[in-house]
Amino acid sequence: MSHCHHSVIAGHPALVSFWDFQGEEALLAKGPYPYQLEEMAGRVERFTEGVFGPQSLRFERGQWLRIPRSDCPALNFRGHGAKLTIAAWIKREAAPEGQCQAVAGMWNETEKKRQYCLFLNLRIWDSKDQVCGHVSATGGPTPGYPWCMTSAIGASPIPLEKWSFVAFTYDGAFAKVYVDGKLDARLAFNPFAYFEGLYDGGENGADFTVGGVNRSGEMGNFFAGVLGGLAVFNEALGEDELSAIAT
């Protein structure tokens, strides 16, 4: 991935934060909000193959990153006016069978403070290896279900051991997921109609976490593999924009 894609992202007017994971300050975002990710379970390996340079992050099982909620107000997408895009460059590795994997978002299931999160491998709605964009207006499980079921879910399995560009957008009306810059259309689930907006967790809501979420009283749903870049925007980017970033 060449330098020009870097500038397309860094120069985008809706950019909030962009982590390219390069250099000594790999966990410090570029862009208008230079938020710092904290390593929460030991130093994440700096892997010597990257998307935006010679480095990326390789997560061992149980590792995750976070920004305390109070330190990242621009990532606190909430309410009826919420609009967002989360884009990630990933190289999946095999994970324990049946394990959901969180890539990034504000999503605390234990305290019923779900807002938004980019996932892989959600097991709901006959899904397995696809990209998922989870949205919640209530913070808790969907009424009548043990889990939150409101999610855009694509059709395509994300391959192992191969770089993929995955993205999740929400514009206040529809959640959508994209693979390599294209809408990964799936009947009834992508686009996913959701007019309720996002839960407002207030001062005590969820932290922004990468590579895992708090659920069942502890961190889990760990991401397995390599993360080459992560970008968050405060608008729902369209297919043309995501395709330009992906090319």
Side-chain angles (χ1 to χ4, degrees):
M1 194 150 300
S2 63
H3 180 76
C4 65
H5 303 292
H6 203 285
S7 60
V8 168
I9 299 161
H12 197 286
L15 181 68
V16 177
S17 299
F18 170 41
W19 291 270
D20 64 7
F21 303 126
Q22 301 308 307
E24 289 292 309
E25 294 198 315
L27 302 182
L28 185 68
K30 296 176 168 63
Y33 297 92
Y35 295 144
Q36 179 87 37
L37 291 162
E38 298 176 28
E39 291 160 298
M40 301 304 294
R43 180 177 161 85
V44 177
E45 178 190 348
R46 295 342 186 228
F47 191 63
T48 55
E49 177 197 344
V51 176
F52 297 103
Q55 187 170 278
S56 53
L57 300 185
R58 183 175 180 274
F59 288 74
E60 293 291 339
R61 181 149 180 78
Q63 291 188 313
W64 58 288
L65 313 172
R66 73 147 189 186
I67 310 170
R69 182 182 189 80
S70 57
D71 292 347
C72 58
L75 298 176
N76 182 16
F77 304 112
R78 64 195 186 278
H80 277 286
K83 292 180 171 62
L84 65 94
T85 298
I86 303 181
W89 290 260
I90 61 171
K91 184 189 271 193
R92 290 183 60 198
E93 295 176 6
E97 184 61 32
Q99 180 68 65
C100 303
Q101 296 183 43
V103 178
M106 282 185 169
W107 195 262
N108 184 324
E109 299 183 5
T110 300
E111 298 177 12
K112 295 182 171 60
K113 293 172 178 172
R114 300 164 170 90
Q115 290 177 228
Y116 65 91
C117 193
L118 173 63
F119 271 91
L120 301 167
N121 290 33
L122 278 194
R123 307 300 284 200
I124 60 175
W125 304 128
D126 297 321
S127 299
K128 190 176 177 186
D129 295 306
Q130 300 102 302
V131 182
C132 316
H134 241 335
V135 285
S136 176
T138 65
T142 301
Y145 293 93
W147 316 112
C148 178
M149 305 293 282
T150 47
S151 183
I153 304 174
S156 307
I158 303 304
L160 298 176
E161 307 293 348
K162 180 176 178 287
W163 285 110
S164 297
F165 171 53
V166 298
F168 151 46
T169 70
Y170 181 61
D171 64 2
F174 290 91
K176 301 177 185 179
V177 291
Y178 296 81
V179 176
D180 296 329
K182 301 293 181 208
L183 182 73
D184 190 23
R186 181 181 169 199
L187 189 64
F189 292 105
N190 191 33
F192 178 76
Y194 196 75
F195 299 97
E196 287 87 345
L198 302 181
Y199 178 71
D200 187 347
E203 287 184 17
N204 300 310
D207 293 335
F208 183 80
T209 60
V210 175
V213 292
N214 194 316
R215 90 297 174 257
S216 305
E218 62 182 12
M219 291 301 294
N221 291 355
F222 295 115
F223 171 69
V226 182
L227 185 60
L230 179 66
V232 185
F233 303 83
N234 58 19
E235 290 288 344
L237 272 56
E239 190 171 58
D240 54 343
E241 294 174 287
L242 289 167
S243 181
I245 291 171
T247 305

